[in-house]
Amino acid sequence: MSEQVKFFQNVATYVDQAAGFTNFPKGLIEQIKVCNAVYQINFPVKIKDKIQVIEAYRVQHSHHRLPTKGGIRYSDMVNQDEVMALAALMTYKCAVVNVPFGGAKGGIKINPKEYTEDELERITRRYTFELIKKGFIGPALDVPAPDYGTGEREMSWIADTFMQFNQQELNAQACVTGKPIGQGGVHGRTEATGRGIFYGLKQACSYADDMKKIGLETGIEGKTVIIQGFGNVGYHAARVLQENGAIIVGVAEYEGGLYNAKGIDVDDLKKFQIENKTIRNYPKAKFIKQSNLLMEEVCDILIPAALENQITKDNAAKIKAKIIGEGANGPITPNGEAILSKKGVMVVPDMYLNAGGVTVSYFEWLKNLSHVSFGRLDHRHQDDSFNKIIDLIEGNTGRRISNREKDALRGADELDIVRSGLEDTMINSYENIRTILKRHKKMNSLRTAAYVDALDKIGVTYLKLGVFP
Ligand code: GLU
């Protein structure tokens, strides 16, 4: 088996490496590693007067906490091994950021670009119906979300289909996250994975001793960044990093990459990509036809934010970045990681770094269960008290508080609350895994530390549940 076709095994290898730092019995680790339920579906959909059989999956990796949670991917590369690996990563990811869910993942083996909107809607609704039939969706059971090739639109079809079949279910809206705002979505979910990547990297770059080891200064400002993948995750990560002073020198997509040592204006490029449906011929950067070569250019931070298995034993030695931030799930294979580790590259692992998406999904699920938006009850009250305090200060000091100062202090709305919850989660989780890494002299990666953190939490939950007859 090549490195590329054993993604699930790669995740298991990482778990085994971490298990040696825990005291759990071997059987418990085995139970944690396996997928609890794998559902493969083949269903017919009429596409342009022909019947097409669609292959799809939903995998629930761990039931130690319910509901299970994880995105649904539309790609012609979807296969059972991939969905199982991604479901497993969701379990560990949720544990690391203290989101109280088990892991799951779904996938439909189609290239969404080859279908009309109407066809995609019929495929999505039929898939949802298949999930309903077997108890693989529901606010207390299994809650999908967007992933590669899906977004708000697909989530709204899923929510609507589920609600049609569950009219008495008061919490039906919470059957899926990543919905449009008007359908029970939460502000800040779309950008959440990308923004979380920024918060995570900011935290990783904040320790002088860690940065000194790799020859960098602390802080994000002035750091050069190459991003692979300019979809929802890559774009928002690049945008927020740029807003905070990073220089985006490279952007790679499947059709090729762009490089400009002086920096690429992220929003300008996004506009170009939307208008032209490609980044090819973007006039303000050099075009590199072989997109994967862009990852080998000089930069401080490399962010693979597309698909798995991008950095392997074949190209790891050529990577020049000092920090790799895993925006995607599983972009580095264990063999690739071993080479990077010898070179002293700091890897900020996927199960921590891209967990912003599921963290804000958790907020959305909570919002749906509570049937009220964050800040709705106390926003006006906070604003009134705030205005009274400002009046008092201005009256007593004779100084006018500027509108900018007022905006910075004003009562929080939903977006503020979501962003601060996300930032807090990313800071605390980083502290946890860094502390674990420092505690073990023989441990050499943040990834192993993150797995140890996850195994500890999952293992303890299993033992508490007493699920072993
Ligand atoms: N698909 C995203 C991930 O891989 C989000 C999952 C979710 O929000 O449930 O983390």
Side-chain angles (χ1 to χ4, degrees):
M1 258 198 293
S2 84
E3 282 185 287
Q4 274 76 1
V5 293
K6 46 172 193 172
F7 189 13
F8 183 68
Q9 182 52 46
N10 288 349
V11 176
T13 302
Y14 287 136
V15 176
D16 287 335
Q17 283 167 5
F21 293 94
T22 70
N23 293 321
F24 294 119
K26 196 167 175 290
L28 179 55
I29 298 291
E30 289 309 311
Q31 170 55 38
I32 293 174
K33 276 198 307 195
V34 293
C35 288
N36 288 176
V38 180
Y39 181 27
Q40 198 220 316
I41 322 149
N42 294 292
F43 54 83
V45 179
K46 211 160 165 204
I47 307 282
K48 300 179 190 59
D49 286 337
K50 284 205 180 93
I51 294 168
Q52 194 180 327
V53 181
I54 306 281
E55 177 183 331
Y57 301 86
R58 184 74 183 168
V59 171
Q60 296 174 347
H61 172 259
S62 179
H63 294 151
H64 77 291
R65 284 190 187 277
L66 288 171
T68 52
K69 188 86 190 76
I72 293 175
R73 169 172 297 206
Y74 288 5
S75 140
D76 46 17
M77 279 153 62
V78 161
N79 59 71
Q80 185 173 326
D81 178 77
E82 182 191 50
V83 187
M84 285 168 66
L86 293 167
L89 279 171
M90 286 309 303
T91 297
Y92 307 122
K93 190 185 300 192
C94 289
V96 164
V97 289
N98 289 320
V99 164
F101 298 144
K105 203 78 168 200
I108 304 187
K109 190 177 166 54
I110 52 165
N111 176 356
K113 293 200 178 79
E114 289 170 4
Y115 295 86
T116 63
E117 186 166 27
D118 172 62
E119 290 162 355
L120 286 172
E121 178 170 351
R122 279 187 285 124
I123 294 170
T124 307
R125 287 186 184 275
R126 175 63 191 251
Y127 172 71
T128 309
F129 175 66
E130 298 293 332
L131 298 183
I132 294 170
K133 279 203 299 195
K134 294 274 192 249
F136 272 73
I137 185 170
L141 292 174
D142 188 351
V143 182
D147 198 80
Y148 189 85
T150 59
E152 282 188 357
R153 181 184 64 175
E154 287 72 18
M155 301 309 115
S156 79
W157 292 329
I158 293 173
D160 184 63
T161 310
F162 183 84
M163 285 154 80
Q164 301 288 336
F165 284 96
N166 294 277
Q167 295 187 14
Q168 290 288 344
E169 167 63 86
L170 187 61
N171 294 320
Q173 247 186 355
C175 72
V176 64
T177 59
K179 301 179 291 293
I181 298 293
Q183 258 186 295
V186 73
H187 288 93
R189 174 63 186 86
T190 310
E191 64 161 21
T193 312
R195 180 171 284 278
I197 290 172
F198 160 69
Y199 290 139
L201 287 171
K202 184 176 164 207
Q203 200 56 23
C205 291
S206 68
Y207 295 91
D209 44 343
D210 294 353
M211 288 299 101
K212 210 173 142 203
K213 268 194 221 146
I214 50 174
L216 292 176
E217 300 286 319
T218 55
I220 288 294
E221 204 168 338
K223 291 218 167 29
T224 53
V225 178
I226 293 178
I227 302 234
Q228 185 208 33
F230 202 54
N232 184 47
V233 177
Y235 161 64
H236 285 290
R239 178 180 62 80
V240 185
L241 280 159
Q242 188 164 66
E243 272 168 23
N244 286 276
I247 306 159
I248 312 298
V249 293
V251 174
E253 270 282 72
Y254 58 93
E255 74 263 32
L258 296 168
Y259 184 81
N260 183 345
K262 293 206 185 88
I264 296 168
D265 181 331
V266 172
D267 277 321
D268 189 57
L269 176 61
K270 193 68 198 173
K271 220 172 119 220
F272 181 92
Q273 189 194 34
I274 292 169
E275 274 164 19
N276 299 281
K277 298 199 166 53
T278 174
I279 59 166
R280 202 191 296 263
N281 299 328
Y282 181 65
K284 298 172 203 162
K286 191 173 97 190
F287 186 70
I288 298 172
K289 217 169 147 200
Q290 222 181 316
S291 158
N292 56 342
L293 292 182
L294 190 70
M295 292 202 296
E296 296 167 19
E297 293 285 339
V298 175
C299 65
D300 296 324
I301 307 177
L302 171 65
I303 306 178
L307 287 169
E308 59 269 16
N309 298 326
Q310 298 301 303
I311 302 175
T312 65
K313 65 173 169 29
D314 300 327
N315 62 352
K318 297 183 212 145
I319 301 287
K320 297 181 192 73
K322 309 231 171 71
I323 300 173
I324 301 184
E326 292 188 316
N329 293 307
I332 306 178
T333 63
N335 289 338
E337 173 115 337
I339 297 170
L340 295 171
S341 160
K342 273 199 203 111
K343 278 166 49 120
V345 178
M346 176 184 197
V347 174
V348 189
D350 47 6
M351 50 192 293
Y352 160 70
L353 195 66
N354 70 34
V358 76
T359 301
V360 176
S361 275
Y362 172 44
F363 300 160
E364 180 175 332
W365 183 77
L366 291 174
K367 172 182 176 176
N368 295 154
L369 296 189
S370 62
H371 300 269
V372 64
S373 61
F374 296 110
R376 160 114 193 232
L377 293 184
D378 57 1
H379 184 71
R380 170 72 43 202
H381 175 73
Q382 275 190 40
D383 248 18
D384 288 347
S385 328
F386 168 79
N387 286 333
K388 279 182 202 141
I389 295 169
I390 294 289
D391 285 349
L392 268 173
I393 296 173
E394 288 185 335
N396 283 339
T397 60
R399 172 177 177 269
R400 248 201 103 246
I401 309 281
S402 74
N403 284 342
R404 238 181 110 183
E405 286 169 315
K406 280 187 197 163
D407 281 346
L409 298 167
R410 203 172 281 287
D413 59 19
E414 184 171 89
L415 184 61
D416 298 322
I417 294 171
V418 164
R419 283 182 177 169
S420 80
L422 173 61
E423 182 170 13
D424 195 52
T425 301
M426 295 308 288
I427 292 174
N428 292 336
S429 306
Y430 192 81
E431 295 304 303
N432 285 344
I433 56 179
R434 187 174 180 271
T435 307
I436 293 171
L437 179 61
K438 298 274 156 197
R439 197 185 302 142
H440 296 280
K441 290 266 165 313
K442 286 199 180 126
M443 196 184 281
N444 62 2
S445 79
L446 280 167
R447 188 190 312 280
T448 308
Y451 272 103
V452 168
D453 185 31
L455 287 180
D456 275 340
K457 291 169 182 166
I458 300 163
V460 166
T461 311
Y462 261 120
L463 293 177
K464 266 197 208 138
L465 290 172
V467 286
F468 304 105

